[in-house]
Amino acid sequence: MGSKPWLYPAPAYRNLESFWDTDDDAPGPRCGHTLTAVAATKTQGPRLILFGGATAIESGSGGAPGIRLAGVTNCIHSYDVLTRKWTRLRPAGEPPSPRAAHAAAAVGSMVVFQGGIGPAGHSTDDLYVLDLTNDKFKWHRVVVQGQGPGPRYGHVMDLVAQRYLVTVSGNDGKRVLSDAWVLDTAQKPYVWQRLNPEGDRPSARMYATASARSDGMFLLCGGRDASGTPLADAYGLLMHRNGLWEWTLAPGVSPSPRYQHAAVFVGARLHVTGGALRGGRAVEGDAAIAVLDTAAGVWLDRNGLVTSRVNKAPSEDPSLESMRRCRHAAASVGVRIYVHGGLKGDILLDDFLVAENSQFQTDVNPSALMSGSPRSNSPNLSPFSSTSTPDDRSETPASGFLGMDKDSMEKLAEASAAEAKVANAVWQSAQAASASPEETSLSDGNSQSAETTSEGSDTEADVRLHPRAVVVAKETVGNLGGMVRQLSLDQFENESRRMIPSHNDLSNPTKKFARQRSPQGLHKKIISTLLRPRNWKPPVNRKFFLDSYEVGELCYAAEQIFMHETTVLQLKAPIKVFGDLHGQFGDLMRLFDEYGFPSTAGDITYIDYLFLGDYVDRGQHSLETITLLLALKIEYPDNVHLIRGNHEAADINALFGFRIECIERMGESDGIWAWTRFNQLFNYLPLAALIEKKIICMHGGIGRSINSVEQIEKLERPITMDAGSIVLMDLLWSDPTENDSIEGLRPNARGPGLVTFGPDRVTDFCKRNKLQLIIRAHECVMDGFERFAQGQLITLFSATNYCGTANNAGAILVVGRELVIVPKLIHPLPPPFQSPETSPERVTDETWMQELNIQRPPTPTRGRPQPELDRSSLAYI
């Protein structure tokens, strides 16, 4: 079976047959309305709530061209996703006035409406809540103190991080707006707060769309500016842990500018449909259906990746023709996107369409394929979030029913309850603050129905390696177009071929330095200088940009964090795991570029990072590698995690390049000082990590002495390699045996006193500690990752072409929330077009590597004919 692309194109939409008891229950033709997904409750499956809009059109008055919307309504309809049935609701209480071009957002089992325009002009900025709790439908008007956004229409609103109601842009009747407001639904009395976000701020606009990603990013897309020009840009709004908000311009090339379109998230993919251009012309052709993949940072249309905004030949795709519309409404439930109504030319539409996001989508919980929870609440980062392939999928019935049986009700309730548990404490706080039963609260009692499951060991998900890996083709490195593909694991012919290392163990105590206080902003300076996945270039003269004082400040700040961490970190999925980097900073940037990087502009808000040691030595840029990782640790202490490798020791990195690099790039005095300070810091690094209490990560292995996780936890830090601990030695230095047929303990070619351990040791260790997988680094493997002990252990190596001779791939492992593990690979870069004589940077790097290899020769790949080298050289120790 051929490989499937990773970046799946935008989906096709088809008509969905739905039902109603009476004509009054049918929503009928309309535009300028809202469609909002509401999570399942104990008694109801997921629902779509349709409100307001214009139900008729009139010709322009006084002979003016164009049309005018009429028949603006405040009626409300509910669509049951399981039964596919529409019902008109008649809630108790005072309803909001008839309106269109308003905004709506779901808060638990309630829907909040704000703004819009109606027959009497602008609607007020009051918040109206449709309470669906316990199937007793009732309207409430929320009391908000102080100044608010004011009356407006053509604006956007959504609930961010299950707590913050955010509204942006619009038109107040006098001008087009660019402001942003937030209301904390967990704090009473309710107050609108005007935001002053940092970053790249979007221009003033109306008729844009916005949708909140499940991790809390609010994405603003398109719109029309004050001059009537349609916009093609997209901006993400995020709240940092310190409470500050920041705008970030989304990358990628949008297929078309547009306004009066619809957009909704499924996982990390924003599905955009329809829209209008200047003069009211509809967006048509391939651009009518688009997806912004926020994890990959690219736009896609029905044909795949969008690389330029050009007019293409008309398409015969009926799905594209069906999306030639504007002023329609959209919502998502699970992996399905629903679209209702809209305006096509001078025709009001009443059709109901559905599309299904690919099973192999970015950032979707595998169980979401069976669930109906609004939007996916399980960021997975895996582009393959189900173990099945598209070829295995069952046929969708022609009737349009989406394969949901009665048993799905329980699964839907469970999924929505899982989404609600994140906000459980918030809702409890809000309810406790409620002053009287008559006052409307934006908290939702149904959100408290699920108990929080905090222990990873209690979850039902089993650890499993996805049957395919994501691979960046070596011939098109640096260009997302056509370079990412999916390979079955059985195609990795080099798996099980490891590189025998060339290390030896010496002893040299580290020096002590007085504590220094880290100045604010130093780590940010480092991040802004080095975190450049797309355009980082090595310094021409190799001079390092920090001085020894700044190195000391950085190390002290990071050291304070490591000192308060446990020896064995307790981590949660989703998380990315990196193997040995060995100073190959360019490979780290390539991995960040292709598979996401730790920044609010990247994916740090919904996935953690774990690095398994060996940050220094061998490569040309150990200083950049370790300083950036330390700076990221300071910036994101709860999301970026570092453990220790065997090269994070003075007696080792004095021999294999780090000490020499510090001296050459910082000067002898400053270089030795910095090298010593780094090694003092290394003694505080954690030594292992547990992911969801089911996966243990370490640098080396379990050796002969480690039988329980508690043995590692008892190691006290700071600890040096010469402390005499056999547990530490096994943890950082031991390796698995050559293959699964070699059991027990064997001498290790690395040196006397070191061992290799067989698959029987792995099985026994996992069983004894109730673990399902060991992830370790420490050895160069040709495909970047290698399975051992029938998949109970994975060796991971992230540096490509190790020592400039191995020609190996580099890999990371992405552990999804459901504990599905996806390997993601990069191949070695091809040789540059320039010859070494015409490339000064190439000459410098090659000279560095050649001289180091002469002094400390690397070992040829296992499994290939070995040259007759001196058997007493370091390559054979």
Side-chain angles (χ1 to χ4, degrees), residues 224-396:
R224 187 180 78 188
D225 67 13
S227 68
T229 302
L231 304 171
D233 50 8
Y235 292 83
L237 180 64
L238 278 170
M239 188 182 74
H240 296 286
R241 292 179 179 85
N242 60 7
L244 297 178
W245 294 75
E246 180 181 9
W247 282 110
T248 301
L249 179 65
V253 179
S254 168
S256 172
R258 69 186 82 209
Y259 64 94
Q260 293 177 343
H261 52 297
V264 65
F265 266 114
V266 176
R269 288 163 57 100
L270 183 77
H271 290 259
V272 180
T273 53
L277 300 170
R278 185 185 286 274
R281 293 182 296 110
V283 175
E284 57 186 13
D286 292 334
I289 301 176
V291 167
L292 172 57
D293 190 320
T294 59
V298 296
W299 281 90
L300 304 114
D301 60 18
R302 290 284 297 128
N303 298 313
L305 188 72
V306 176
T307 57
S308 62
R309 192 177 299 131
V310 296
N311 293 324
K312 299 180 181 179
S315 173
E316 297 181 359
D317 187 342
S319 182
L320 294 173
E321 177 61 26
S322 70
M323 279 304 157
R324 288 186 61 245
R325 66 181 69 202
C326 63
R327 298 177 182 258
H328 51 293
S332 67
V333 176
V335 297
R336 299 177 182 92
I337 308 100
Y338 298 87
V339 171
H340 179 272
L343 189 64
K344 186 173 185 178
D346 58 355
I347 301 174
L348 273 180
L349 303 174
D350 66 348
D351 53 353
F352 193 34
L353 300 101
V354 67
E356 190 165 331
N357 198 28
S358 164
Q359 287 193 16
F360 289 89
Q361 62 180 304
T362 306
D363 192 18
V364 172
N365 185 341
S367 64
L369 297 171
M370 292 294 294
S371 77
S373 57
R375 302 193 187 123
S376 171
N377 188 39
S378 303
N380 192 349
L381 255 273
S382 165
F384 318 109
S385 48
S386 170
T387 54
S388 64
T389 69
D391 303 302
D392 299 328
R393 295 173 59 183
S394 59
E395 292 288 323
T396 302

Side-chain angles (χ1 to χ4, degrees), residues 13 57 110 137 151 180 187 189 215 276 292 317 340 379 393 562 590 632 686 699 813 850:
Y13 288 77
I57 57 175
M110 300 180 293
F137 310 138
Q187 294 293 329
D215 67 330
L292 172 57
D317 187 342
H340 179 272
R393 295 173 59 183
F562 293 134
R590 289 176 58 210
L632 290 170
H699 181 73
L813 297 178
Q850 289 169 6

Side-chain angles (χ1 to χ4, degrees), residues 101 118 156 189 228 264 392 403 459 482 528 717 851 859-860:
V156 292
V264 65
D392 299 328
T459 62
S528 65
R717 298 167 297 137
E851 291 180 351
T859 302

